[in-house]
Amino acid sequence: MVSKNNKKEGSEVSVMKTERHIKKRKLKGGRASVGEDSKSVKMASSTDGKQRTVILSAITALLALCVAPLAAQLDVSHPHRRVTALKMDEASLMVHNELLNETLTLSFLSDHCYQCLFQILGTVPASQGPGLPSSAMFVVSTQHPLFLQVNSTISNTELCSVHFNFGEHGNYSLWIKNLSDASRHITCAIVTDKEPVNSNLPILVAFLVYTGLAILVAFGSFLMGFDFVRNLVSRMGSTMETERLINSELGSPSRTVEYSADASGPVTSSSRLRSLDTFRGLSLVIMIFVNYGGGRYWFFRHESWNGLTVADLVFPWFVFIMGTSITLSLSSALRRGSGQFQLFQKVLWRTVQLFLIGLLIINPNYCQGPFSIDSLRIPGVLQRLAFTYLIVAVLEIMFAKPKVESIPTDVWWFPVQELVLYWPAWLCVIVLEAVWLCLTFLLPVPNCPLGYLGPGGIGDFGQYPNCTGGAAGYIDHLLLGKNHIYQNPSSHVLYQSRVPYDPEGILGTISSVVMAFLGLQAGKILLHYKDLHMTVMARFLMWSFVLGIVSAILTKCSKDHGYIPVNKNLWSFSYVTTLSCFAFVVLLIIYYMVDVRRWWSGAPFFYPGMNSILIYAGHEVFADYFPFRWKMTDTQSHAEHLTQNLVATSVWVLISYLLYRKKIFWKI
C-alpha cells in the first residue's frame, strides 16, 4: 500500500507541472504549436519515468532494510529450523517467551550437582506483542535431569521453574506464558518437538553379541566333552600331528598338574586359586574398558564427586585382590623357609619397580623431547599400588605365622578370629585410619572450613571455590606442588572446580592400605579354612554384612547427606567399607562358581588376571595405536566409540590368552 500511494502521488505531481509549463509557454509566446506541445509532453513523460525509477529504488532499499531483520527473526523463532549438529549427550531447546515487556534469563542446574549454584544458560528477549512470542535456542546436556529456572532480567526474581530429563539429540520447546494478567500467574511447559534417539541401544546390542559368543563357547566346550566329538575333530584334522597335539593337550602330565593346581582338587594353601585370578582379571578388563572411554557414556566414567559409577568399582577391587594375594604368596614363602629379611628385600624391590613403571606410564612426554621434571605427575595408579603393597606386605611379614593351622569352631573367639590372631597388624591399620580421620577433619586448610569434603567450584553454593578435596588436596599441593598432580579431575566438568586435584594423592593412600588389608583378611580366611568351603563363604558373607552396616551408618544410606559420603576422589572411609563389602560378595560368588562347584573355568577373565601388570602397562602405553584406536567416521556416536572400546578391550583379552598359552608371565 505504501509503494502504490507513493507512485500515484508522484505521477499526479508530474502531470500538474507539465500543464503549468504549457500554459506558461502560451502566455509568453502566443499560441504554441502542436510539435512543441508534443515535445513538451514527451519530455514530461521521460522525466516522470526517471522519477518513478528513483522512487522504486528507494522503496526497494527501504523494504530490504526492514524485511531482512524480520526474516532473520522469523528463521530463529521457528522451532524446527536447522541448527548446528548436536554432539553426544546434547539436545536442543527452543525457548518461547510470550511475556510482554519482560526480558528473561534462563538458568540451569543438574540434579547430580549437590548444593550447586544455578548457571546462566542465556537470555530471551521480551515478546513483541500478543501472539508474537520471542524465541531463543540453546543446547542442553542430557547426561542428568536438569532444573531450569526462568528469572526476570530486570528484577532478578524467579518467575517459574521446571525439572526435566532431556534425551540425546532431541528437540524441545519451553513455552513461558502468563495465564492471567490480573494474577500474573506465569507457567513453564516443555513440549517435545522431535523425539530423542535411544543412546543406550548400542549397549544392548553389545550385550547380546557378547552373550551369544559366550553361549557358543560354552556349547562348544560342552560338545568337546564327548569322546566322539573329539575323535571327529581329530579326524577332520587329517594329520597325525593334529592327533598328537590334541592328545598331548588332554593328557600331558605337566598340564594336568597345572590345571589341578588351579581349579581341581581341594583348595589348599599351596594351590593357586583360580577365583582370585578371575576376580583380578574381571577388575582389570573393566578398568581397561573405562580407561579407553567406555563408549563415552557418563556411567562408565568416574563420578564427579560423591557417589559411584561402574568406573569407580574396579580399582578398589584390584587393591582388595592384591591384599588377598599377598597373604597367600607370603605364607607360602614363609613355609618354604624364606627369612623375613629376604622377603622384605623382595617386597622393597617390587615396590620400586611398580613405582617406576607407573611414573613412566602416566608421563609419556619423555618420548617427545627432553625430559622435564617441572610438570611431572608423581601420584598414579601403580604408584598407589606400590606403596599399598609395601605397607601391607611389611605388616604381613612382621606378624604372619609361619605355620597356618585350622581353627576349631567351638572356641569363644571364633567369630572374631581374624582380629584376635593378628591383633598387632590390626592395631597398626586402626592407627593408620585414625591418622586419615584426624588429618581429614582436624587439619586446618587456609580459606577452607575445617573437615571440608566438598568439590569446591560451584559446589556448596560457591562458598569455597578453591577448596577441592579439603585436607587431601591441601596436602598434595603442599608436599608435591600443584604442577606434579593431576590437572583435570572429574570435578572439573560438573562442579567447575578450578584447582588441580589428584584422586591418587597421598592421603588417599592410607585408605587404600585399609582396603588391601581387608583383602588380606579374605586371604587369611582361605588359609585357615582351606577345606571348609561353606565356612569360607560364610565368613565372606559375615564380613560383607559387617562392612555394609558400617557403610550404612557413615553414609546414612544417602549419596550426599552422610557423615562421610562415598567418594572415590577422596578414597573416603565409607568408600573403602562399601567397596570391600561388594568385593567380599563378588569373591564369594566367583569362588563358589569357579573353585567349589566348577561351573565356570573363569575364562576369559582368568587370562588377563594371570598377567595383570603386563596387560595394564600395555593398555596404557599402546592406547593410541591401532587396533586399540582408529579414525572414526562419526566422533559423536556412542555406537562407534563403544565398538572401538570393546574391540580394544577384547584384543587385550586375546593377547593375555595367547601369553597364557605360551606360558609367558611378567612377574615383578
Side-chain angles (χ1 to χ4, degrees):
M1 294 295 292
V2 175
S3 60
K4 290 181 180 180
N5 290 336
N6 288 338
K7 291 179 182 179
K8 184 176 180 180
E9 291 174 359
S11 300
E12 291 176 352
V13 170
S14 300
V15 172
M16 290 174 63
K17 287 183 178 180
T18 303
E19 290 178 349
R20 285 199 300 269
H21 178 72
I22 294 174
K23 290 180 179 178
K24 188 175 181 182
R25 288 281 304 273
K26 287 182 179 179
L27 291 173
K28 285 186 177 181
R31 197 171 64 182
S33 63
V34 176
E36 290 176 342
D37 293 340
S38 300
K39 186 177 180 180
S40 301
V41 172
K42 288 181 181 180
M43 291 177 61
S45 301
S46 177
T47 303
D48 183 41
K50 291 180 180 180
Q51 290 176 346
R52 289 180 182 178
T53 302
V54 172
I55 292 171
L56 287 173
S57 300
I59 292 172
T60 303
L62 182 62
L63 287 174
L65 291 174
C66 296
V67 172
L70 180 61
Q73 184 179 359
L74 289 175
D75 183 59
V76 171
S77 64
H78 198 284
H80 300 290
R81 79 175 184 88
R82 197 178 190 84
V83 296
T84 306
L86 295 170
K87 299 180 180 180
M88 284 186 294
D89 302 323
E90 288 184 349
S92 65
L93 176 65
M94 180 71 74
V95 182
H96 303 277
N97 180 15
E98 293 189 357
L99 306 183
L100 298 175
N101 303 320
E102 190 76 75
T103 302
L104 304 178
T105 300
L106 181 66
S107 304
F108 74 96
L109 174 64
S110 171
D111 68 352
H112 220 62
C113 195
Y114 178 64
Q115 291 185 343
C116 290
L117 295 172
F118 274 88
Q119 301 299 297
I120 295 178
L121 193 60
T123 59
V124 185
S127 173
Q128 300 175 355
L132 297 173
S134 61
S135 303
M137 181 168 284
F138 304 98
V139 175
V140 293
S141 173
T142 62
Q143 290 189 359
H144 309 290
L146 298 179
F147 290 97
L148 297 178
Q149 186 181 88
V150 179
N151 290 355
S152 171
T153 304
I154 299 175
S155 61
N156 198 28
T157 58
E158 180 182 342
L159 301 179
C160 63
S161 62
V162 63
H163 180 258
F164 197 80
N165 189 6
F166 296 95
E168 185 173 338
H169 294 176
N171 292 340
Y172 301 89
S173 292
L174 172 62
W175 290 89
I176 305 167
K177 302 180 180 182
N178 188 1
L179 297 182
S180 174
D181 294 334
S183 62
R184 192 170 170 75
H185 182 65
I186 298 173
T187 61
C188 295
I190 293 182
V191 178
T192 302
D193 299 323
K194 176 187 173 184
E195 292 294 333
V197 299
N198 187 356
S199 59
N200 295 326
L201 185 60
I203 299 179
L204 176 61
V205 174
F207 174 77
L208 294 177
V209 169
Y210 277 88
T211 302
L213 290 175
I215 292 174
L216 288 177
V217 171
F219 185 67
S221 300
F222 174 75
L223 292 179
M224 289 299 293
F226 296 100
D227 293 336
F228 75 91
V229 176
R230 289 200 300 269
N231 294 333
L232 179 63
V233 171
S234 63
R235 285 197 297 269
M236 290 177 62
S238 69
T239 61
M240 293 300 295
E241 180 63 19
T242 302
E243 181 75 17
R244 188 187 68 80
L245 289 175
I246 293 177
N247 289 334
S248 64
E249 188 71 16
L250 293 175
S252 172
S254 61
R255 300 292 294 182
T256 304
V257 170
E258 179 187 352
Y259 180 75
S260 63
D262 286 341
S264 300
V267 179
T268 64
S269 59
S270 60
S271 65
R272 186 182 183 96
L273 286 171
R274 203 175 183 92
S275 56
L276 296 183
D277 290 315
T278 302
F279 192 10
R280 183 189 296 109
L282 172 65
S283 303
L284 182 59
V285 167
I286 300 176
M287 185 185 296
I288 293 173
F289 174 66
V290 298
N291 284 350
Y292 278 162
R296 297 298 188 270
Y297 290 99
W298 69 267
F299 41 80
F300 289 140
R301 299 177 182 176
H302 291 295
E303 185 61 83
S304 295
W305 200 247
N306 294 335
L308 290 174
T309 63
V310 175
D312 298 321
L313 305 177
V314 289
F315 185 28
W317 286 351
F318 203 84
V319 173
F320 183 91
I321 290 298
M322 183 182 70
T324 307
S325 301
I326 286 173
T327 187
L328 296 178
S329 61
L330 291 182
S331 175
S332 177
L334 288 172
R335 286 197 308 274
R336 291 195 303 267
S338 299
Q340 289 184 334
F341 183 73
Q342 181 184 2
L343 290 177
F344 178 76
Q345 284 181 315
K346 291 182 178 180
V347 167
L348 186 61
W349 174 234
R350 189 167 191 250
T351 299
V352 172
Q353 287 179 290
L354 277 173
F355 184 84
L356 292 178
I357 293 172
L359 207 62
L360 292 175
I361 286 176
I362 63 173
N363 296 282
N365 295 331
Y366 56 84
C367 295
Q368 303 174 1
F371 179 77
S372 175
I373 201 171
D374 295 336
S375 58
L376 182 74
R377 182 190 172 193
I378 298 176
V381 171
L382 290 184
Q383 294 91 310
R384 173 166 287 184
L385 286 176
F387 283 109
T388 301
Y389 171 77
L390 175 64
I391 297 173
V392 175
V394 168
L395 288 176
E396 179 66 7
I397 292 172
M398 292 174 60
F399 302 114
K401 300 181 182 301
K403 185 178 181 181
V404 179
E405 298 179 354
S406 299
I407 300 176
T409 58
D410 56 350
V411 294
W412 66 267
W413 44 270
F414 171 74
V416 291
Q417 57 92 4
E418 290 91 348
L419 281 71
V420 173
L421 289 177
Y422 303 97
W423 68 265
W426 270 103
L427 183 61
C428 293
V429 171
I430 292 173
V431 169
L432 282 175
E433 186 57 35
V435 169
W436 184 90
L437 291 171
C438 290
L439 290 175
T440 299
F441 292 100
L442 300 179
L443 179 67
V445 179
N447 302 317
C448 300
L450 201 64
Y452 182 71
L453 299 176
I458 63 174
D460 299 289
F461 306 112
Q463 299 179 80
Y464 319 110
N466 298 321
C467 295
T468 303
Y474 176 67
I475 291 174
D476 289 341
H477 281 257
L478 188 65
L479 300 181
L480 303 177
K482 66 177 183 179
N483 294 329
H484 299 293
I485 61 178
Y486 193 46
Q487 301 296 307
N488 299 294
S490 56
S491 58
H492 270 21
V493 178
L494 191 61
Y495 288 92
Q496 301 180 23
S497 57
R498 298 178 296 216
V499 296
Y501 179 82
D502 206 307
E504 279 78 49
I506 296 173
L507 193 57
T509 304
I510 296 177
S511 297
S512 66
V513 169
V514 178
M515 184 94 193
F517 191 77
L518 290 171
L520 186 140
Q521 298 310 305
K524 297 291 186 185
I525 293 172
L526 292 169
L527 286 175
H528 286 295
Y529 308 103
K530 55 186 179 182
D531 297 322
L532 305 174
H533 301 312
M534 296 306 297
T535 304
V536 168
M537 292 187 292
R539 303 294 295 187
F540 285 171
L541 195 60
M542 182 196 73
W543 272 101
S544 175
F545 179 76
V546 171
L547 291 169
I549 293 296
V550 173
S551 297
I553 294 173
L554 292 176
T555 62
K556 297 182 180 179
C557 297
S558 67
K559 176 185 172 185
D560 299 299
H561 301 284
Y563 302 109
I564 304 178
V566 173
N567 190 294
K568 191 265 178 187
N569 287 280
L570 297 172
W571 270 70
S572 62
F573 185 47
S574 61
Y575 178 71
V576 171
T577 56
T578 301
L579 270 296
S580 297
C581 169
F582 294 164
F584 272 108
V585 173
V586 175
L587 181 58
L588 185 155
I589 295 172
I590 296 178
Y591 173 76
Y592 182 73
M593 295 178 62
V594 174
D595 288 322
V596 178
R597 304 296 297 183
R598 301 193 186 103
W599 289 336
W600 178 30
S601 67
F605 304 114
F606 171 74
Y607 307 116
M610 290 286 291
N611 243 327
S612 56
I613 299 299
L614 177 60
I615 298 302
Y616 178 83
H619 104 275
E620 288 279 6
V621 173
F622 298 103
D624 295 326
Y625 296 91
F626 183 84
F628 311 108
R629 185 164 297 175
W630 59 81
K631 186 177 181 180
M632 294 184 291
T633 57
D634 184 6
T635 59
Q636 299 302 319
S637 167
H638 279 295
E640 236 180 301
H641 278 285
L642 184 64
T643 302
Q644 185 184 76
N645 302 151
L646 286 175
V647 168
T649 306
S650 301
V651 169
W652 281 114
V653 173
L654 178 61
I655 291 173
S656 66
Y657 171 73
L658 296 176
L659 293 174
Y660 176 80
R661 294 299 302 267
K662 296 294 183 181
K663 297 183 180 180
I664 299 174
F665 305 102
W666 186 26
K667 303 293 182 182
I668 60 175

